[in-house]
Each structure stands twice: as C-alpha cells, then as structure tokens.
C-alpha cells in the first residue's frame, strides 16, 4: 500500500432539523492514497458532493473525522477544488483568474507567477489569456477553472462533475485532456460524477455511494487506452446494474445533496 493522502473515518452528515432531518453520510469510511485517481459515483442524493465538500473543508461533519497523514505537521492541506460551473470572476481576464489564488496569504509560499503563466500554454489558453469569461467557450472556461485550482500547486485536486454541463464532444475532449494532465502533474484526484463511462475512463479506483450513507462497493480500475473499449469492460455492466438495483433505496434522500 502507498501513502495515505486522506482518511475519512465514521463520517456522519445530515441536513435539516428535527423530524425533517435527512442523513446523507452515515458512518462512512474511505481512504485515498497519494497519486490515486478516485472516482465517486452514485445517484443524486447519495452524498457524493457532500463528501467532496467535506474533503475540501467546505462542509463540517456532524461526527467522524477527516485525517491527512501525508500533511502531518502542517496547519492546512494544499487542495484545489473545481465545481460543475467554472465560477470565474467575470471582471478578471483568464490570466488574472488563474492568478487569483495567489492573492491569499495561505497560498503565498506555493504560488509562483511564472509557473502560473506557464499554465496558459499547457492548458491551451494562451490565445485567450486576456479575454474575460463571457468571451470563452464552455471548454475554455472549465480549463481556466482547473488551471486556477492547479496554480496554487495543490497536492490534491477535487472535482465535482466538472464536465457534466458541456456538450458530449467537448466533454470527451476535456476528459482526454484531464487524464493526460493528471499523469503529468502526479496529483491525487477525487472526482464526483454520475457518468459511469467517465468514471471508467479516468479512475484508478471507483467507489459507489448508493444512498445507504456509506461506500457500498469499490472497484480497482485500469482505464482503457481507447474510449471505444469502455463497452467491453465487465465493471461497466456491474456498475450499471448497481445503479438500477439501488434506485428504490435512495428515493427518500434530499435531491439537493447529490
């Protein structure tokens, strides 16, 4: 086994109060190793985004703990987060958006403006470096969001359905791009998606949250070289079958906590 990047133990999280309270995470345990590409799959309401936000420090657990053994002795972990919407600052250019994380005191030691500028070329954004977000295509905007997250040199990148709002051709192109990028940078990645094919194409390991509040199943995965090979993967049929089987179990979960 490798170095554990983050460990989640007995995580509990619910929304609402009193009789209206709905538990989402119920004693969930999970480990992510350094350099691993973990994909969280499952239906809406199963707690995927809640777990990701907890890993990012944007949600507080009701009980349980999140430990980062690889960051022992440091005050805060180096994490980059990208959501479904790019959430770029509309008054800033692409270059300025990528530099944005460097404004925070916590990132000062890790942020290097020359390295951030080099991302413009690596991410295929040099030609639009001085454009504002409303002048970008969907793919360019999402690449800018990922570049902004990477510019602070995180060790872990958290992605919450970053390509789900894009058209299929752009989504496939960005999946190819992300796979190459992660291999080059050696990041630890946790990706949330509803898309089984995206999970199989990108992930080293796939974890299913089925609405029970825990990780229901896990699969080791070797992403295929070609997208056309996805249909022949035995894991694909098993994952799709688990989705269908678990529909009734998740019907009472709040839809806003996917």
């Amino acid at each position: 086994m490798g170095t554990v990047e983050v460990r989640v133990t007995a995580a509990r999280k619910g929304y609402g109060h009193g009789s209206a309270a709905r538990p989402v995470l119920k004693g969930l345990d999970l480990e992510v190793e350094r350099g691993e590409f973990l994909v969280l799959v499952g239906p809406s309401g199963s707690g995927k985004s809640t777990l990701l936000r907890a890993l990012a420090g944007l949600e507080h657990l009701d009980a349980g703990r999140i430990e980062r053994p690889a960051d022992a002795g440091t005050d805060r972990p180096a994490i980059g987060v990208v959501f479904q919407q790019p959430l770029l600052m509309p008054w800033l250019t692409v270059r300025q958006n990528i530099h944005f994380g460097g404004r925070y005191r916590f990132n000062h030691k890790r942020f290097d403006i020359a390295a951030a500028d080099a991302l413009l070329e690596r991410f295929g954004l040099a030609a639009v470096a001085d454009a504002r977000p409303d002048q970008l295509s969907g793919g360019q905007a999402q690449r800018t969001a990922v570049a902004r997250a990477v510019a602070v040199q995180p060790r872990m990148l958290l992605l919450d359905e970053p390509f789900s709002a894009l058209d299929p051709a752009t989504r496939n192109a960005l999946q190819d791009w992300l796979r190459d990028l992660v291999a080059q940078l050696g990041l630890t990645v946790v990706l949330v998606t509803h898309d089984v094919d995206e999970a199989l194409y990108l992930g080293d390991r796939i974890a299913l949250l089925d609405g029970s509040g825990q990780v229901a199943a896990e699969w080791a995965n070797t992403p295929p070289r070609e997208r056309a090979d996805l249909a022949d993967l035995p894991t694909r049929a098993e994952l799709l079958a688990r989705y269908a089987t678990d529909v009734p179990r998740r019907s009472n979960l709040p839809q806003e906590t996917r």
Side-chain angles (χ1 to χ4, degrees):
M1 294 180 63
T3 301
V4 174
E5 188 75 63
V6 62
R7 178 183 295 118
V8 182
T9 305
R12 294 185 176 273
K13 178 68 178 179
Y15 295 95
H17 301 280
S19 60
R22 293 290 183 271
V24 179
L25 305 179
K26 295 184 281 188
L28 181 143
D29 296 320
L30 182 71
E31 287 188 354
V32 185
E33 292 189 2
R34 178 176 290 180
E36 182 177 26
F37 197 131
L38 172 67
V39 183
L40 302 176
V41 299
S44 295
S46 60
K48 303 185 305 298
S49 289
T50 295
L51 176 57
L52 195 85
R53 290 175 63 84
L55 290 173
L58 300 174
E59 291 270 9
H60 294 291
L61 297 175
D62 297 332
R65 62 184 183 274
I66 296 176
E67 303 170 284
R68 305 182 189 278
D71 275 310
T74 63
D75 294 331
R76 294 174 62 187
I79 297 174
V81 187
V82 180
F83 297 100
Q84 182 175 351
Q85 299 300 323
L87 302 178
L88 302 177
M89 307 300 176
W91 60 90
L92 300 180
T93 65
V94 167
R95 187 192 308 274
Q96 291 166 338
N97 267 285
I98 293 173
H99 290 177
F100 190 79
R103 299 183 181 187
Y104 293 93
R105 182 170 56 185
F106 171 66
N107 291 327
H108 282 178
K109 292 182 179 180
R110 291 198 307 272
F111 184 80
D112 180 271
I113 194 167
D117 282 340
L119 294 175
L120 289 164
E121 191 69 40
R122 169 175 271 179
F123 283 46
L125 296 167
V128 293
D130 297 319
R132 286 188 163 75
D134 63 358
Q135 299 172 295
L136 303 178
S137 68
Q140 289 170 333
Q142 202 60 293
R143 277 184 280 140
T144 302
V146 177
R148 179 177 59 187
V150 170
V152 298
Q153 300 184 46
R155 212 165 58 209
M156 175 177 279
L157 184 63
L158 306 177
L159 305 167
D160 193 353
E161 300 193 75
F163 309 139
S164 63
L166 303 173
D167 65 85
T170 302
R171 183 165 60 245
N172 287 351
L174 287 183
Q175 289 169 358
D176 292 339
W177 169 80
L178 178 63
R179 193 157 81 162
D180 291 342
L181 177 73
V182 170
Q184 292 169 14
L185 298 181
L187 296 169
T188 303
V189 180
V190 180
L191 168 72
V192 163
T193 184
H194 284 90
D195 187 335
V196 167
D197 285 340
E198 181 170 77
L200 292 167
Y201 191 65
L202 295 174
D204 302 320
R205 180 164 57 106
I206 300 168
L208 172 69
L209 279 65
D210 64 346
S212 66
Q214 301 180 7
V215 176
E218 296 184 44
W219 294 267
N221 182 57
T222 301
R225 185 178 299 273
E226 301 295 336
R227 194 179 302 275
D229 296 330
L230 286 168
D232 298 325
L233 295 179
T235 306
R236 184 176 188 272
E238 187 176 350
L239 271 166
L240 290 172
R242 289 298 296 264
Y243 262 70
T245 301
D246 293 325
V247 168
R249 298 178 57 187
R250 65 179 188 267
S251 59
N252 64 338
L253 289 172
Q255 292 301 300
E256 65 270 18
T257 55
R258 61 182 189 273

